[in-house]
Amino acid sequence: YEHCWKDIMITKIISSCQTGVDRAALDFAIEHNIPYGGWLPKGRKTEDGILDLKYKLQEMPTGEYSKRTEKNVLDSEGTVIVSHGLLTGGSALTREFAQKHGKHWIHIDLKELTLNQAAERLLHWIQEEEIEVLNVAGPRARKDPDIYSKTVELLKLTFIEMRQ
């Protein structure tokens, strides 16, 4: 997919590998040979247990989720937060960190947009803000059981199908 990436400039996807949106982003990156990274809490803890070592992420010195959230925002040029509806919990905190540190961010609300509209909006934002390192965040699978599959579909539409 090398040719697909040149004009949209993404060189790396960052996420924390929590279940849901974060894991979807990393699985998408791995499947499509896109460089990826990110931070996760000490002990590699996620809502479904200790994260598989196949995910090459860096461990924080602390188990606090908020610290890794902030580090992922800081290590990227822009953050997309994907959800069905309003941002709450860790997703709202991600937005706060992006605002606090003057980082680009966009909320893609899949309750308000079709997947095609969402992909168009995300692609336009990435081009407009010249994002190269993209942090992908959003709710856990427990809070939104459909968010994993919808996020994978959104990323496929944005980075592969719209580029052909």
Side-chain angles (χ1 to χ4, degrees), residues 19-34:
T19 63
V21 172
D22 302 8
R23 187 91 42 96
L26 294 181
D27 287 344
F28 173 82
I30 290 166
E31 183 184 341
H32 297 284
N33 296 314
I34 301 159

Side-chain angles (χ1 to χ4, degrees), residues 93-155:
L93 184 64
T94 303
R95 176 184 57 203
E96 286 172 35
F97 283 137
Q99 291 170 333
K100 173 184 168 186
H101 295 293
K103 295 284 191 166
H104 300 293
W105 66 278
I106 187 172
H107 174 209
I108 298 291
D109 185 348
L110 297 177
K111 218 166 147 183
E112 302 289 323
L113 302 167
T114 65
L115 277 167
N116 279 332
Q117 291 168 329
E120 283 175 30
R121 185 171 293 177
L122 179 56
L123 185 61
H124 176 75
W125 174 79
I126 288 168
Q127 291 170 324
E128 184 98 345
E129 304 300 345
E130 299 181 350
I131 305 296
E132 291 185 16
V133 179
L134 178 67
N135 181 30
V136 183
R140 302 169 178 206
R142 182 175 42 82
K143 292 185 179 169
D144 186 343
D146 293 332
I147 202 69
Y148 178 95
S149 60
K150 296 291 186 200
T151 300
V152 169
E153 208 169 323
L154 170 65
L155 295 173

Side-chain angles (χ1 to χ4, degrees), residues 24-94:
L26 294 181
D27 287 344
F28 173 82
I30 290 166
E31 183 184 341
H32 297 284
N33 296 314
I34 301 159
Y36 72 93
W39 293 89
L40 74 169
K42 184 177 180 70
R44 300 178 67 86
K45 67 178 187 175
T46 69
E47 115 174 322
D48 63 349
I50 294 171
L51 183 67
D52 190 312
L53 290 171
K54 80 173 186 176
Y55 295 100
K56 309 290 185 229
L57 299 185
Q58 294 173 277
E59 238 178 284
M60 294 291 293
T62 171
E64 278 183 66
Y65 285 117
S66 63
K67 299 284 188 209
R68 70 90 222 261
T69 298
E70 187 169 24
K71 192 85 170 94
N72 284 334
V73 166
L74 286 168
D75 284 357
S76 64
E77 291 158 342
T79 297
V80 56
I81 309 167
V82 183
S83 75
H84 287 109
L86 298 173
L87 298 182
T88 60
S91 299
L93 184 64
T94 303

